[in-house]
Amino acid sequence: MPRWAGPLAVKAAVFITVMCCALAALLGVLVHVSVTNQTVGQARDLALDQLAEATAAYEAGDTLRRGAAVDPPELPGALRELAVAGNRATMAAEYRGRPAMWAAGPVRGGRALAVTVDYAQGRRTIDGLDRAIVWSSALAIGATLLVGAFAVTRVTRRLRATATVARRISAGDLDARVGDPRAADPTRPQDEVAAVAAALDSMAASLQGKLRAEQRFTADVAHELRTPLTGLHAAAELLPPGRPTELVRDRVAALRTLTEDLLEISRLDTGRERLEVDAEELGALARRVVGASGTDTEVRVVRDARVETDRRRLERVLGNLVGNAHRHGRAPVVLTVDGPVITVRDHGDGYPEYLLVHGPQRFRTEGGAKGHGLGLTIARGQAEVLGARLAFTNPADGGAAAVLTLPRRP
């Protein structure tokens, strides 16, 4: 079907209408031809019988019956030529303004004897039949279209529900299920839509199970690492000063940071985080974040705003974005506050393609970048807790930009 045909329901309606019209036209033509042939054949046989009687009376010298005449002026020219040539023929034509069946044959002197049979009743029968065919076809097409549209709408409604659940799953709602009653009841006949719904539910359940197993593994690993890391950190502090001690302490600090990040991700995965909301000036908060990061980041306040938010979580999001911009991008790094919209922009090579399409993913980096992919993952998770929207883009003039849009709370 062409693109202009529209959604599935419209395509089905067009297909049903076309098929009904074609079937009605075919049946109408067959009935019309059959009845017309029968009616015309009866009129022709009657006209030929009367022509035979009139010819016998004319040859016997008797008076011709009414409707019979020799060379009548109303006789069609084509029929006259056939009769003069020695043939007997019939033709449906007009006689005194009424439909008539003409029959003509040769008589002595090269003349034509013709008779007429009233054909008005046969014409009315054919016209009435044609009208009945048109009206019955229209009613049949309308009824079939309504029934077909109802049946197709039920299927498309189930398909739309399945598509909605699929979009919810792709957005992260792994508890979403289609729950098609046909798929739940094996005794009912299964159709393709039920099979798709059952496959989608099965996929969501499997994906949810694997994700929860991954989350449990992350949380367990992070918790198990905390105890030995605490002892390792204490032991590192007891080492004598020197270059090896600095290297050990640096690696222990990196490992502690990684463990804390894993613990934070596991808490975000549980979905039990609660906000501690207070009024905050975004311009002042942005300056505090940049000052605490110890980086050379420019702060631009285009339009300051006072919002109700969780200060600790917002500082965590902005700190991760600024740190990521310095770690993986290039200077200058600019943090811009424009009302409830905060943008962190660097001038490096930009975000990788997978991140723009699918968002940040833990333990995934590309293009030779160092790190574990946890900073942006935590930033996105904390932004979701704040009810904010975090988007990642690569501006046309180069670099990478993370745009955080905070919600307006009364």
Side-chain angles (χ1 to χ4, degrees), residues 120-142:
Q121 182 61 39
R123 176 65 65 184
R124 286 192 296 270
T125 300
I126 295 175
D127 292 342
L129 176 65
D130 291 342
R131 287 192 296 269
I133 290 175
V134 171
W135 282 107
S136 60
S137 299
L139 290 175
I141 292 172

Side-chain angles (χ1 to χ4, degrees), residues 242-297:
R243 181 59 180 168
T245 299
E246 292 178 0
L247 292 176
V248 171
R249 290 176 179 174
D250 178 71
R251 292 300 87 196
V252 170
L255 191 56
R256 287 190 68 182
T257 300
L258 175 60
T259 303
E260 294 299 326
D261 287 345
L262 289 175
L263 283 172
E264 186 170 358
I265 287 178
S266 66
R267 288 194 298 268
L268 291 172
D269 287 339
T270 60
R272 298 177 182 176
E273 296 289 281
R274 294 294 180 266
L275 293 177
E276 297 179 3
V277 178
D278 198 2
E280 297 290 338
E281 297 285 347
L282 293 183
L285 187 144
R287 294 186 183 94
R288 287 200 307 270
V289 169
V290 171
S293 68
T295 60
D296 185 16
T297 303

Side-chain angles (χ1 to χ4, degrees), residues 6-13 148-164 167 191 193:
L8 179 60
V10 177
K11 293 180 180 180
F150 174 74
V152 172
T153 302
R154 292 188 61 187
V155 175
T156 55
R157 190 187 305 117
R158 295 167 62 197
L159 288 175
R160 281 195 297 269
T162 304
T164 301
R167 285 191 290 268
D191 56 9
V193 180

